[in-house]
Amino acid sequence: HNFAEGGYFMRRLSGELYLISLNTVIYSTAHRWSQPVPEDPFGQLRWLDEALHWLRRRSSSGRGAAKAMIVGHIPPTLDHFSFKA
């Protein structure tokens, strides 16, 4: 899976540090689906589970502790679009 398929990806930054970028726009309350919302849009959550398992296996193989920073577009709040400054 890659960015072109679903807007998510993983990249090695340095050593055993990885960046996991999720497509969180699809979880926004402002996002409107044209069809019923799939349980796992674009297979992203399954992919995330597999990526984290891969990092755990990498850590246990003696290469050192693999770490990941997980980022996304939309903050993990209930309805951040309603925020008034």
Side-chain angles (χ1 to χ4, degrees):
H1 297 286
N2 59 36
F3 186 79
E5 291 179 40
Y8 54 93
F9 63 91
M10 178 170 67
R11 292 288 181 268
R12 184 178 182 178
L13 298 177
S14 67
E16 292 301 313
L17 178 61
Y18 292 81
L19 173 72
I20 294 176
S21 179
L22 300 177
N23 179 357
T24 55
V25 171
I26 57 178
Y27 304 112
S28 166
T29 57
H31 182 76
R32 301 292 175 240
W33 290 86
S34 59
Q35 299 177 4
V37 179
E39 184 174 314
D40 183 9
F42 307 118
Q44 177 173 243
L45 298 177
R46 183 185 70 244
W47 171 84
L48 176 60
D49 187 55
E50 291 169 2
L52 293 174
H53 277 88
W54 180 83
L55 289 169
R56 283 187 202 108
R57 285 192 306 275
R58 192 167 173 83
S59 291
S60 65
S61 70
R63 293 185 172 142
K67 295 184 170 112
M69 292 189 299
I70 301 174
V71 299
H73 314 62
I74 303 291
T77 59
L78 184 55
D79 188 7
H80 77 284
F81 288 111
S82 296
F83 178 77
K84 305 269 191 266

